[in-house]
Amino acid sequence: MDIRIRPVRPEDAGALNAIRIIPEVGKYLLALPTERVEFTRSFLENADPLSHIFVAENGGRVLGMATLQQCAPPRRKHVGEIGIFVHPDAQGQGLGRALMDRLIDLADNWLLLDRLELSVFVENQKARKLYESLGFEVEVLAKSLCVLDGKLAEEYHMGRLRPGFHPADPPENMALGQKIAASLPSYRIRPRRREDSQQMADLQSQPGVFETMGTLPGLTPSLLENWYDGLDRYGHHLLVAEMLEGPDQNKAVAFANLFLHPNPRLAHK
């Protein structure tokens, strides 16, 4: 097969959508058979500068797509997340490997990303073997992750470190949550309010807290207020732990969020 890898174009939306709604492809992409071409077109048109998208074609026919999304949070900017799909007619002919090779070259030699991540359903053994041959390793088994063929399926989360990159040893676990819980007087759990944003920003900026959250210490109340204002009342559930006695009486000292996934095939999460 004469494979050509090139950057995606807006006019590829129709061909890519046609591949995504093929049942044996879409079931591994969290797609639905009713997915409209407008969804794919919007995805391509709104891709940000951190999104790198290639398509593979043969004789002018688009047969697959691969994406490398460089993470935006400053503490994750060394990480890229990969997604890929290939038309059934072209599977097993080297097209998927060619797409992955192009993404890995981009990550290693152009963006200097230290870590790449992807996910694959446990039953998709051919894809997992391809990823393993390219240096990816299974790191996590996610159980009951997504609806697949009428049941809740498991998925592997895989990672690859750039050759020559040696991560620092992780810090020792300080069991911060256990220490805090043991020292707290009585408290109550209540729904979070918009006016909690200042206390939430203060808490997330504390040493020992922001390091575990992937945020930066300069988080502002206005940013949290804007986030709060944009929440879906049915999909987001926010709780606060508020002190009932002592010098911190009425002070919010802990926050918890439960987000219900909007994708119908992930609605059980």
Side-chain angles (χ1 to χ4, degrees), residues 2 52 54 58 89 100 104 127 138 158 164 175 177 193 212 224-226 253:
D2 182 18
H52 308 278
F54 291 105
N58 172 250
D89 292 348
M100 290 293 296
I104 291 173
V138 172
M158 305 183 71
R193 310 182 188 117
T212 67
L224 292 173
E225 289 172 354
N226 292 335
V253 295

Side-chain angles (χ1 to χ4, degrees), residues 12-228:
D12 295 325
L16 294 172
N17 176 258
I19 300 173
R20 287 180 60 86
I21 62 175
I22 297 173
E24 55 263 50
V25 177
K27 70 177 185 177
Y28 292 133
L29 300 176
L30 304 183
L32 292 170
T34 54
E35 190 172 284
R36 296 181 293 274
V37 68
E38 289 80 9
F39 173 87
T40 306
R41 184 176 297 115
S42 175
F43 171 78
L44 298 179
E45 291 175 349
N46 293 293
D48 61 42
L50 298 179
S51 299
H52 308 278
I53 309 173
F54 291 105
V55 297
E57 61 180 13
N58 172 250
R61 180 189 178 194
V62 173
L63 292 171
M65 185 179 87
T67 64
L68 173 63
Q69 181 67 44
Q70 187 174 0
C71 292
R75 293 174 59 192
R76 288 262 297 167
K77 65 181 181 180
H78 64 291
V79 178
E81 299 172 342
I82 285 179
I84 181 173
F85 62 86
V86 174
H87 195 290
D89 292 348
Q91 292 178 11
Q93 301 182 55
L95 190 144
R97 179 176 292 275
L99 282 167
M100 290 293 296
D101 284 342
R102 181 62 64 90
L103 289 187
I104 291 173
D105 174 70
L106 177 68
D108 286 353
N109 301 315
W110 295 79
L111 302 176
L112 287 182
L113 298 182
D114 295 322
R115 175 178 170 81
L116 296 177
E117 300 174 347
L118 57 79
S119 297
V120 59
F121 282 101
V122 171
E123 73 170 45
N124 194 356
Q125 295 295 322
K126 290 193 298 184
R128 193 188 81 181
K129 289 180 179 179
L130 169 63
Y131 304 146
E132 288 177 337
S133 73
L134 294 169
F136 286 83
E137 298 179 357
V138 172
E139 297 178 337
V140 176
L141 172 63
K143 297 183 177 181
S144 300
L145 180 76
C146 173
V147 177
L148 178 67
D149 293 333
K151 62 182 184 297
L152 294 178
E154 299 178 337
E155 187 176 70
Y156 290 126
H157 295 172
M158 305 183 71
R160 171 192 180 271
L161 297 180
R162 179 168 53 86
F165 173 69
H166 300 289
D169 293 332
E172 293 184 6
N173 184 358
M174 299 298 293
L176 182 61
Q178 295 180 3
K179 290 184 178 181
I180 293 176
S183 63
L184 286 179
S186 59
Y187 60 91
R188 66 167 179 152
I189 305 297
R190 62 164 174 81
R192 185 190 156 194
R193 310 182 188 117
R194 190 176 191 272
E195 54 267 28
D196 294 323
S197 297
Q198 179 65 63
Q199 293 189 57
M200 187 173 180
D202 292 342
L203 179 61
Q204 291 194 42
S205 297
Q206 292 294 317
V209 177
F210 74 84
E211 294 96 335
T212 67
M213 299 186 64
T215 60
L216 294 175
L219 195 64
T220 63
S222 60
L223 182 64
L224 292 173
E225 289 172 354
N226 292 335
W227 174 75
Y228 181 87

